[in-house]
Amino acid sequence: NNVERSANGYYYKDVTGYFNQFVGTWQYQNGTTVYTLQFKIKTFLISYPHVSKTYQRDYLIGALKVVKNGVLIYNDLPTLNLSLSEAVNYKIFSMTRVENFSNCYMCTYPEQRLHLSYSEPNNDNYAYANLGFMMHTYSQNGVVKLRMDFSDRTLSSQFTNFKDPNSPPTKTSLFMDFGIFDFVKVP
């Protein structure tokens, strides 16, 4: 629960190595579009001055690169080499482990998926303000794959500009497509 997670002086370490299965570079190709996801583990100091509590927590942080028709459309991978002060400063970061549902076959032990927050730069569209995806790894014919479930939960009624309510949003599409993708680890 949140009380335990915010206990003063604690370090919430990934002692079981759960995040290790995701660390590295993963690719998915859909026609002429190539998505590259990269993940690292980072430890952050979290401080809540208003309640005088400070603790550390491990996060899985990630970044995305998109190439369409041989043209680089988006590349956030260099941010993984930065030492940003908080996980929320990265465009992809782990939120929580989630119990699986029946549609998640061959999920990793202990049959959980990882929920991650996902955002893109220069977003002013309320519909894209709280995006996230679920993922897990599995083995198929000896090949380890990462399944990303990035479901479209946006509604056209939510396409409003949260930075300037008097203007339509300038962000009307995402670099990452919605859908279910099976990424393969690359060296």
Side-chain angles (χ1 to χ4, degrees), residues 82-149:
L82 301 176
S83 292
L84 303 178
S85 60
E86 298 178 59
V88 296
N89 293 336
Y90 293 89
K91 298 297 178 197
I92 300 173
F93 64 92
S94 57
M95 301 282 283
T96 186
R97 286 161 65 169
V98 179
E99 288 185 23
N100 286 309
F101 300 99
S102 59
N103 65 350
C104 184
Y105 80 104
M106 296 173 62
C107 290
T108 53
Y109 180 84
E111 297 203 356
Q112 292 179 335
R113 293 175 296 163
L114 187 61
H115 176 218
L116 296 103
S117 174
Y118 175 81
S119 62
E120 292 187 0
N122 305 316
N123 181 35
D124 61 357
N125 193 332
Y126 180 73
Y128 299 147
N130 291 307
L131 296 176
F133 61 90
M134 297 284 195
M135 70 179 189
H136 69 275
T137 60
Y138 68 97
S139 183
Q140 186 177 51
N141 299 325
V143 177
V144 175
K145 295 186 177 184
L146 180 145
R147 173 158 291 175
M148 173 191 195
D149 184 346

Side-chain angles (χ1 to χ4, degrees), residues 66 97 135 152 166:
V66 181
R97 286 161 65 169
M135 70 179 189
D152 186 354
N166 298 320

Side-chain angles (χ1 to χ4, degrees), residues 2-62:
N2 286 335
V3 174
E4 288 178 7
R5 262 190 271 163
S6 60
N8 192 41
Y10 277 63
Y11 174 21
Y12 298 92
K13 182 174 178 56
D14 178 24
V15 293
T16 62
Y18 179 76
F19 288 156
N20 293 343
Q21 66 188 312
F22 304 112
V23 171
T25 304
W26 303 82
Q27 278 192 339
Y28 174 81
Q29 184 162 354
N30 183 8
T32 60
T33 302
V34 179
Y35 297 107
T36 303
L37 279 173
Q38 196 171 74
F39 294 102
K40 288 184 177 181
I41 301 170
K42 287 191 68 117
T43 303
F44 293 93
L45 182 66
I46 300 171
S47 179
Y48 296 103
H50 60 284
V51 290
S52 301
K53 290 185 178 181
T54 301
Y55 65 95
Q56 287 181 292
R57 179 176 166 201
D58 287 349
Y59 280 87
L60 186 72
I61 57 164

Side-chain angles (χ1 to χ4, degrees), residues 63-80:
L64 173 70
K65 177 179 160 184
V66 181
V67 176
K68 292 187 178 183
N69 297 316
V71 177
L72 180 64
I73 302 297
Y74 175 64
N75 186 7
D76 190 46
L77 299 184
T79 62
L80 291 183

